[in-house]
Structures are given as C-alpha cells and as structure tokens.
Amino acid sequence: MTYHPPTMHPHGLSEVSTLIQTTGTGLAVVTFQKVTMTATTLFTISYNAYGQYPRNHLSATAYGTAALDRHRNRLWECRDRLFTSKGLEKGHYLPFRDISASGSVKKSNIHSDEQLRDFLCTDASNTTATNDTVVVQPSFKGDEACRFVFLCAESAIGPLELSAMMLFQLLSFYQVMLHFLDFLYVYASPHGDDKELHFSGFRTQKTLTNPQPATILPELGRSGRQYQLCYNIKTAVDKGIDGWKTRQAAIHHQFDIGQSTQLWIIGDPHSSIKRVVGELYHENHVYPTSFSTFQQSFKSSMDVHLSLASWATSEWRWNIRFLEERAETLTLKATLVKERAHIETLDPGSLSTVQRWEEKTTDTVMSMESNVNVLKLLQRYYRDLLKDSDFPQRERRACQQGVKDFCFQLEELICEMQMQIARAQVLVKVLAERKTVLIQNLQAQSAIISSRLAASMYDQADRSAIEAIAVRIVTIVTVVYLPATFSSTFFSTDVVKYQGGEVFSKVALDRFLEVTLPLMLLTFVPAGIWFWLERRKRSKTSHRAKEALVDLFSEETDLDGR
C-alpha cells in the first residue's frame, strides 16, 4: 500500500487523504466512509490531509465553511509571496528548539516536507482498518515539554523560508487555531510594500474542560485541555544609513494544562526572536527547574512572553531620539529665519521631506500603541485565566504569585511604552507646527519672488517711459526745425525771389524770421506745456506706487518690521 501525500489545490482535497492500494490486477482507490473512529484515527486523518489546511482542522465545523473557504482562497492567492521559491537545497529552513521535562535543550533544522514528516513521526508505514476505511497510521512522536518553531522570513514583510506544505503539515499536526493565518499574511506583502505592518491583533481560544474527543491524544502527551494565544508585536531596528525600520513578529502559543506542555510558533523576520529565545534557553545549558511541574512550566511560558515584550519595547526610545534629531535638522533652520536673505535660501523640496518624516513619526506612534494594546490584552488574559473557574484549583494558588509578578512586569513595560508614545506625539505636534511655519516662510519666499518680478517689470516700464520721453524729445527737435524747413522750402520757390544781384538780403532774412519765429513759438509752447503735464503726471503716479509698495523697492527688509 502506498501513501500519496496531499498536494496544494485552490479548492482543497477530498475530505480525507487518498490511499492507493496495489493489487495483483492493478491499482484500486480505497474511499473513506463516515464511521466511528478513535481519537487517534480522526487526528491521523486530519494530519494526513494537511495539504488542504485549514479545511482538515478538527474544529472545522466550529469555524464554519465561509471562514475556512476565505482563508483557503487567500492562501492560494498569496502562495507565491508568502512562501519562498528557493529550491530545497538552497532555502527551505524551519528551525526547532526543543526543551525536555528535565530541562535539556536540543536544536533541529528541517529543510523539506518529507524531513518534517520524519521529524514529527517515527513510522508512517502502519495502517488502521475500520470497517471499509483504511487509514495510514503513522506512529507520532510525543510532544516535548516546550517546543519553539521559528518561521523565519527573509525580511520584515516576507516571504517565509519554507514551503506551503511544510507550514500546512506543521499547523495540522498541532491543530493551530485558524486565526494565526491572519498574522502570517503580513509576510505575503508585495515587494517594498510594508502597509501590512500596520495590522495588529490579539486572538485567543480556550478549552479548559470538556475538550473535543479527537484532541485527547495521550500517546502524544495531549489532554485536549489547553489554551491558545495569537498576537503580533513590533520593534524598531536600526538599519544604519537607511534609518530605522519597523519589524514585526507573529506569535502563536499553546499550553496544555493537563500535560504541562507548551508550544511556540513564531513568525520571525531575520531570526531575531530565535536569538532572543537562544539567549533565554541556551543549548549548552540545562534548566531542570523550569519544566518539571505545572507551576514551573506555566511560569516559564510567562517568562517567554516577558522576553518577547522586552524585545518589542527596548528599541523605540532610540528610534524616537533619531526622529527628534532628524526633525531638528530639517525644521529648526527653516522656522527660525528672520531675514529676507535667509528666506530666499529655503528649499521648497524641504516641505515634502518634513511631511515624510511626520508620517514616519505617526507610523511609529501607531506601532507603539499597537504594542501597548497587545500587552494590555495579554496582561488581562492571564489575570482572567487564573480567575476562570475551570482553571485547575490545585494549581491556582501556586500560580497566583507568578501571574501577579508577570502582570506587574508587563505594567512596567506598558508604562515605558506610554511615555515613549507621549514623547513621539509631542514630536508629531512639533513637526506639524514647524511645517506650518515652513509653509508660511515658503509663501513669503514666493511673495518675494513675485515682488522682484513685479519690481523688474516696473523698472522695465519705467525704462520704456524714459525711452518714450526720448522719442518725444526727438519729435520736439524735429518740430523745432519743421517751421524753418517749411520756410526755407517755401521761400526757395518762385513765389518770392531775391535774385537782385545782392549777396545778402536783409529783407529776405527779416521775412524768414517773421514767419519762422512765430511758427516756432506756436510749436514750442504747446509742446512744452504738454510735456510738462505728462512728466508731472508720471512722477506723481510713480511716487504713489513706491509709497504703497515700500518693501518692493527696498533692498533689505527686516521681517519683524513688516
């Protein structure tokens, strides 16, 4: 009998995985029927059909068909962006860090779907027959006291360094709540688009009593009585010359209160959380007092939450300091100028730069506020968990002090974040006010440029007026000589003759002057009066314009005097 692993399909697979039985006559497909099965058999059917996750989830009915189809279709649509396209030898990388009940730490790295199956199961060749149903029955390995699985990503917005089948197999094996997919979609963002980093959430699922029978798997160390948490937190990372960037981690946590085992699946860009957990539980050390009892395991799970919260809050202070320094550099000079010469040196492009950094600061505030909201919900969840009547009574008193300390330390981190948020909000307000001043100065710069243009146009008009006066003078000179020219022309005709033989004729001169001088007088007097009137009118108009626009015609103007 041969088992054919499921393949990814936009509409999922059949209700259970297909088994092909080799017979003497060929291949015969064995179909499955709805029959009474053990919890292990139901879990095995769900696990074998991991290729159709989340439709194979044991709680699929509770989630509803619409939610399952929506997530399935979205997974199919973003598969090329969510999962790496590298070959098996190059890039599929799924690191594990396991801690046993005795406290020993072991690391493992998985690079393929088949290797992951071998890691989770000891033998996949067993089969179980129930009536007409044949199920491949692998022997599963029991859950570790604590297991960390790191879904490493190449960048803050993905893709994940594993295949779709590896993720589906992992989520099916641990029956991870469907909501965790919402936190993984951020790693399917288009290249260069980090808008999904604005997403934030906190989701829970709790079954402390009367668990679903198919989830009770003693051979795997699962009681079915568990709670699950999903949330995401963000931190700031210094990228050197590129400034600070926001990095997000998606957290899934399961805790089995019957077996005291815990699971962590973490979406981890650049393996930063992996390093945090490595410092918390180093492979060369042993932690015998951390996982041997319920109280110890419960406290260690809260310690991991605190380490993650510390990771999410530690760098924002320095990010805001960088933003403050950048804002000071961009806006202080532009807002303190008083002289016209300084205003004229402002770069209009600085306005868009200030706007961009204001938006960066606003995004920073939003990321920090999302962290505060998540930490508050985490704090409230553990307080309410301890108050839940279904929480083990025997363990309640032993865990009270641990939860109290956990909530107090979270409160410290929350207060620190709120102070940084207030600091960033002040910076946003300062940037907005300085941007307003910068806009006013740029408007003043535009007014100065316009005034200079108007002044140059006025000067051009004034020069044109002077040229017009010159033309008038030429005209006047022409008019001066016009009577004489007329007289000379007139007396050179035969109307009057002075050719009596005399070289000089006083009579001719007298006649010339008698005619020319009155004509010149009649020409000069009206022309002079007209020119004087026009010049006076022009002078008055120019004087009124210069008095009305004194700044326009002054070389230096103090802005405080305007």
Side-chain angles (χ1 to χ4, degrees), residues 1 16-17 19 30-37 41 45 127-136:
M1 182 171 294
V16 294
S17 300
L19 293 176
V30 180
T31 58
F32 300 106
Q33 302 175 356
K34 292 185 178 180
V35 294
T36 303
M37 301 181 184
T41 301
I45 292 174
T127 60
T128 298
T130 305
N131 295 340
D132 295 331
T133 303
V134 180
V135 179
V136 174

Side-chain angles (χ1 to χ4, degrees), residues 457-467 538 542 546:
M457 293 176 64
Y458 184 87
D459 291 340
Q460 182 66 31
D462 209 27
R463 285 194 296 270
S464 299
I466 294 174
E467 291 174 358
R538 174 69 185 177
S542 178
K546 290 182 178 181

Side-chain angles (χ1 to χ4, degrees), residues 537-553:
K537 181 179 178 181
R538 174 69 185 177
S539 177
K540 289 182 177 180
T541 303
S542 178
H543 184 69
R544 285 197 299 267
K546 290 182 178 181
E547 284 184 345
L549 302 173
V550 62
D551 292 339
L552 186 64
F553 298 95

Side-chain angles (χ1 to χ4, degrees), residues 34-50:
K34 292 185 178 180
V35 294
T36 303
M37 301 181 184
T38 64
T40 302
T41 301
L42 290 173
F43 172 77
T44 301
I45 292 174
S46 173
Y47 170 72
N48 286 341
Y50 62 80

Side-chain angles (χ1 to χ4, degrees), residues 4-172:
H4 290 255
T7 57
M8 188 174 181
H9 188 276
H11 303 295
L13 302 178
S14 57
E15 186 169 347
V16 294
S17 300
T18 304
L19 293 176
I20 300 179
Q21 183 179 19
T22 304
T23 64
T25 59
L27 297 177
V29 177
V30 180
T31 58
F32 300 106
Q33 302 175 356
K34 292 185 178 180
V35 294
T36 303
M37 301 181 184
T38 64
T40 302
T41 301
L42 290 173
F43 172 77
T44 301
I45 292 174
S46 173
Y47 170 72
N48 286 341
Y50 62 80
Q52 58 174 316
Y53 184 87
R55 292 193 178 110
N56 66 322
H57 202 287
L58 291 174
S59 301
T61 304
Y63 287 119
T65 304
L68 296 173
D69 290 344
R70 183 174 63 254
H71 280 287
R72 182 67 188 183
N73 293 335
R74 186 171 290 115
L75 283 169
W76 178 254
E77 291 170 0
C78 67
R79 66 193 184 282
D80 294 334
R81 301 190 305 272
L82 182 57
F83 305 103
T84 183
S85 58
K86 295 179 180 178
L88 296 180
E89 297 79 14
K90 293 183 179 180
H92 290 167
Y93 176 59
L94 185 62
F96 286 74
R97 184 177 292 265
D98 295 333
I99 308 174
S100 65
S102 61
S104 61
V105 182
K106 178 183 178 182
K107 295 195 305 181
S108 303
N109 294 322
I110 306 301
H111 300 284
S112 68
D113 185 29
E114 294 77 11
Q115 190 177 355
L116 178 59
R117 187 177 180 86
D118 293 338
F119 182 76
L120 299 176
C121 309
T122 58
D123 184 8
S125 61
N126 298 329
T127 60
T128 298
T130 305
N131 295 340
D132 295 331
T133 303
V134 180
V135 179
V136 174
Q137 182 69 59
S139 298
F140 298 107
K141 296 179 182 179
D143 292 344
E144 297 286 350
C146 180
R147 167 166 286 175
F148 294 93
V149 186
F150 303 98
L151 308 180
C152 298
E154 297 176 345
S155 69
I157 54 176
L160 300 176
E161 295 181 349
L162 74 165
S163 67
M165 291 299 107
M166 293 173 70
L167 178 65
F168 296 163
Q169 185 177 174
L170 181 70
L171 300 183
S172 298

Side-chain angles (χ1 to χ4, degrees), residues 115 215 313:
Q115 190 177 355
T215 62
T313 58

